[in-house]
Amino acid sequence: MSLVWVIGSGGLLGQALISELSNSPVDLFDPGVKFNWGNQNKVCEQLRQAALHFCTKAAHRPWTIYWVAGIGNMHSLEEDLQEETHVLERFISTLLQMVDLPLNLGTFIFASSAGAIYAGIQKGVITESTPPAPINAYGRIKLVQESLINTLNKNSHGARVITCRISTIYGFKNITGKQQGLLSEIARRIISNQVIHIYVPLETMRDFITAKDAANKMICTTQQFEKIPGVYLKIIASEASISIAQILAIFKRICKRKLRVVTQADLRSAQYQRVVQFKSEIAIVNENINRTNIVEGIADLLAAIREDVTKHRNQSSRGH
């Protein structure tokens, strides 16, 4: 049975991967520690110790690591992203130095950002053959990180390396210090009867995919390539673009109320292209089974956030 480690399991995508993998015939690795991502030196040492434990448990059997960690976004400062890259570099170096961890039995999957890497593409369908066109630090650093993980392959004699460039993920997650995604932010503001601020033109097109669907596509991609040596690139997307205006209309129809929306383009809007359309050239068996459409996804998101808000209100009232 393959040993599987999801690094970044506390995030939206990480939680979805854990949920989906729990229903698969794999041995999920638990490092038994909460990683301190806010302290570069500490998290590097935590990851090193966890990797030693992982290596012992792997015991010359197939292993898989999903790296879905990271606190960066399209507006992150380059120095913050450099710290994130340093942590990844140290971790890759640790794996390469482990003589008891057979690379040829391993698969490393890296979650990258399609939106950031192709941000400079203004029109046309984006596929794996489309040359990268980053326009900010986040996109450039993601390309650097992709190059780092490729060193695990060692000219097809090492681990399988799969980079998944993922479109805009959405889904329910408890509020943390990290900025919420657009759909979650809209849902929370509707439920709280607050004004919705939109900082890009309403005709802006996006490819939204649920965290669960993205996780399933990543797992199916891994299963297809885990026994074939090489370095692979896969676009993970719903492959169905929708405008912000259409998104607001769906929220309005589901909630059956008029939305309070303020549109005000600012410097952030320059970070995003107007039209995004992704299409993977790589056919993966079963990756589109039980795919969630955007209306179902938004309805589920609203229900989950409404339940969460009610729970916190009840807890707060009991506290008083």
Side-chain angles (χ1 to χ4, degrees):
M1 183 181 291
S2 178
L3 183 65
V4 180
W5 183 8
V6 178
I7 301 177
S9 58
L12 180 60
L13 180 56
Q15 288 179 352
L17 279 167
I18 292 292
S19 176
E20 297 305 307
L21 288 165
S22 297
N23 299 318
S24 304
V26 299
D27 182 7
L28 275 174
F29 173 72
D30 181 0
V33 62
K34 183 176 176 60
F35 295 116
N36 188 346
W37 296 103
N39 185 317
Q40 181 183 141
N41 291 329
K42 186 168 185 177
V43 75
C44 283
E45 178 58 22
Q46 288 177 321
L47 284 167
R48 189 184 73 83
Q49 292 293 338
L52 290 171
H53 184 201
F54 180 80
C55 179
T56 301
K57 289 202 69 174
H60 298 282
R61 58 171 161 158
W63 58 266
T64 302
I65 294 175
Y66 289 87
W67 183 282
V68 294
I71 58 173
N73 58 49
M74 294 288 275
H75 313 295
S76 295
L77 298 176
E78 185 152 0
E79 50 264 38
D80 295 332
L81 295 168
Q82 291 288 3
E83 290 185 8
E84 185 179 298
T85 302
H86 178 70
V87 173
L88 176 62
E89 185 175 22
R90 287 273 298 274
F91 181 73
I92 296 299
S93 177
T94 296
L95 295 182
L96 289 170
Q97 291 169 16
M98 288 184 168
V99 294
D100 293 330
L101 184 69
L103 289 180
N104 64 320
L105 294 179
T107 306
F108 193 97
I109 305 95
F110 179 69
S112 191
S113 170
I117 286 175
Y118 300 112
I121 306 297
Q122 293 301 316
K123 58 183 179 179
V125 178
I126 297 170
T127 71
E128 287 87 356
S129 298
T130 303
I135 62 173
N136 58 19
Y138 187 52
R140 292 189 292 271
I141 291 296
K142 280 300 172 188
L143 287 174
V144 171
Q145 293 174 353
E146 290 180 7
S147 295
L148 280 174
I149 66 164
N150 288 344
T151 60
L152 286 169
N153 183 255
K154 289 186 174 181
N155 299 318
S156 296
H157 296 293
R160 265 72 57 200
V161 176
I162 305 171
T163 291
C164 293
R165 291 179 179 167
I166 308 172
S167 64
T168 306
I169 291 180
Y170 71 99
F172 171 74
K173 183 179 182 298
N174 289 323
I175 295 177
T176 61
K178 189 170 181 179
Q179 184 179 3
Q180 297 288 292
L182 175 63
L183 300 192
S184 292
E185 182 67 16
I186 291 174
R188 288 190 181 275
R189 287 185 170 273
I190 290 173
I191 291 167
S192 302
N193 197 29
Q194 295 177 318
V195 173
I196 302 165
H197 294 275
I198 303 294
Y199 297 100
V200 296
L202 293 181
E203 65 270 20
T204 301
M205 304 287 289
R206 286 285 169 272
D207 182 302
F208 293 98
I209 183 170
T210 66
K212 178 179 180 179
D213 286 356
N216 271 322
K217 283 175 176 278
M218 291 178 73
I219 292 168
C220 290
T221 300
T222 303
Q223 291 171 342
Q224 186 153 317
F225 292 125
E226 64 185 351
K227 294 182 180 179
I228 311 172
V231 174
Y232 303 95
L233 172 63
K234 179 76 166 73
I235 285 178
I236 304 291
S238 70
E239 302 187 8
S241 296
I242 186 170
S243 72
I244 304 302
Q246 290 172 302
I247 288 292
L248 291 171
I250 292 171
F251 273 106
K252 182 179 179 180
R253 188 163 71 248
I254 294 173
C255 295
K256 296 181 174 61
R257 72 163 86 166
K258 186 175 181 180
L259 307 184
R260 300 164 63 197
V261 180
V262 173
T263 58
Q264 183 180 2
D266 64 6
L267 292 175
R268 283 175 285 185
S269 66
Q271 302 287 333
Y272 301 93
Q273 62 269 62
R274 292 292 177 87
V275 178
V276 174
Q277 187 175 358
F278 294 116
K279 177 67 177 177
S280 178
E281 299 170 322
I282 302 171
I284 301 296
V285 177
N286 294 333
E287 71 167 332
N288 289 318
I289 289 180
N290 299 322
R291 184 172 65 178
T292 309
N293 68 52
I294 190 69
V295 177
E296 294 170 337
I298 288 177
D300 290 344
L301 179 63
L302 274 164
I305 291 178
R306 188 174 285 112
E307 181 181 344
D308 183 58
V309 169
T310 301
K311 181 178 71 175
H312 281 86
R313 283 174 182 165
N314 291 339
Q315 289 174 346
S316 178
S317 63
R318 285 197 297 269
H320 292 297

